[in-house]
Amino acid sequence: MELRQLEYFVAVAEERHFTRAAARMHVAQSGLSSSIRSLERELGARLFVRNTRSVHLTDEGHALLTEARHTLANVSAAKDAVAAVQGLLRGTLTVGTLQCLGAVNLTAILARFHASHPGVELRLRQGGSTDLIERVRAGDLDLAFVSMPFDEGAASGVTLTPLTAEPMMLACGPTHPLRDRDAVDLRELCEETFVDFYPGWVTRDVVDQAMAAAHVERRVAFEVNDVHWLLDLVGYGLGVAVVPEVFSHKKTAARFIRLAAAPTWHIAIATGTGRHPSAAATALLARDDVKPTP
């Protein structure tokens, strides 16, 4: 098995098309197809189901894809490590992040890192924690800034390093009866209509658990995947939300009230377990501005 075969295989798996994969790899389609057939013969298994419009991975192909990505990432990390010894830092660093990270100013961190290491190509991917953790596990991301998952099993194959934490607050509209309160108990929210993120988002899981512990059955009428949508809905009085404190710094009509026995929102850095990080990832993780808050 050759590295080039694995590169071709990953390209076909991601493009789901031999012609597009060949163009991406700058190789003739016949050569790429021949390489894939050779790989299938060597493994004794079909890796793709082919039809006239697209190709799809078989179960064997899915199994190989994860390991192929890990192998190629390790090879890239080895090359970068040699370059780092020679005083060079190069390669690609792909970082995942949530929309808001509280005390962590990722934009400033990446800007300072780029100024120190201009030879590293930075890539940024945004998403929810569940998706980001899965992409770190699969090797699509070098690391990601995520909410700590409530279910530890959801982070299997991923190492989570706690970074910072902050309390969650109640967000309500500017005319809501609770708007001028100093603090609110979760049990006072049993009759409220809620705005929240989709089920499976970690912040949603944290709030669901806190509400269940307070014996509150809540009605989530508005489900969104964007912070600004959530705050707009709250600001127009369509519902209330329990959100991380950092949301209170956004420009919004919503009011924010402290919660008694507030649930806590935890931010962590996710990296692949058992994989040697690239030199660029190691350099980013070594920075003082991405160290855990005491």
Side-chain angles (χ1 to χ4, degrees), residues 254-268:
R255 301 286 184 88
F256 296 88
I257 302 99
R258 183 173 61 85
L259 287 169
T264 303
W265 186 55
H266 296 270
I267 292 296

Side-chain angles (χ1 to χ4, degrees), residues 119-244:
V120 176
E121 179 185 351
L122 288 174
R123 296 177 182 173
L124 185 68
R125 303 290 183 264
Q126 194 178 77
S129 291
T130 302
D131 173 60
L132 293 173
I133 287 172
E134 178 56 38
R135 295 179 73 176
V136 169
R137 180 187 294 115
D140 294 339
L141 299 174
D142 292 297
L143 57 94
F145 292 81
V146 301
S147 297
M148 289 280 280
F150 223 79
D151 178 9
E152 292 185 2
S156 175
V158 172
T159 299
L160 295 173
T161 303
L163 192 59
T164 185
E166 61 183 62
M168 301 186 79
M169 304 183 73
L170 174 69
C172 66
T175 61
H176 194 281
L178 297 174
R179 66 188 183 278
D180 294 322
R181 290 275 296 276
D182 291 329
V184 173
D185 191 284
L186 289 175
R187 290 170 292 186
E188 299 180 70
L189 305 178
C190 58
E191 300 298 325
E192 298 289 344
T193 297
F194 279 83
V195 183
D196 211 330
F197 297 108
Y198 289 120
W201 284 52
V202 175
T203 48
R204 170 72 177 264
D205 293 343
V206 170
V207 176
D208 283 344
Q209 171 107 5
M211 290 295 185
H215 304 289
V216 174
E217 292 187 14
R218 65 177 185 141
R219 183 170 68 92
V220 180
F222 301 91
E223 295 181 337
V224 300
N225 63 358
D226 180 85
V227 171
H228 298 96
W229 257 97
L230 182 147
L231 293 177
D232 281 348
L233 290 166
V234 170
Y236 277 100
L238 292 170
V240 302
V242 176
V243 298

Side-chain angles (χ1 to χ4, degrees), residues 14 26 34 46 58 68 71 78 99 136 142 150 161 188 200 212 231 233-234 248 266 271 289:
E14 292 178 349
H26 306 289
S34 176
R46 291 185 64 192
T58 62
T71 298
Q99 291 184 45
V136 169
D142 292 297
F150 223 79
T161 303
E188 299 180 70
L231 293 177
L233 290 166
V234 170
S248 65
H266 296 270
T271 54
D289 45 14

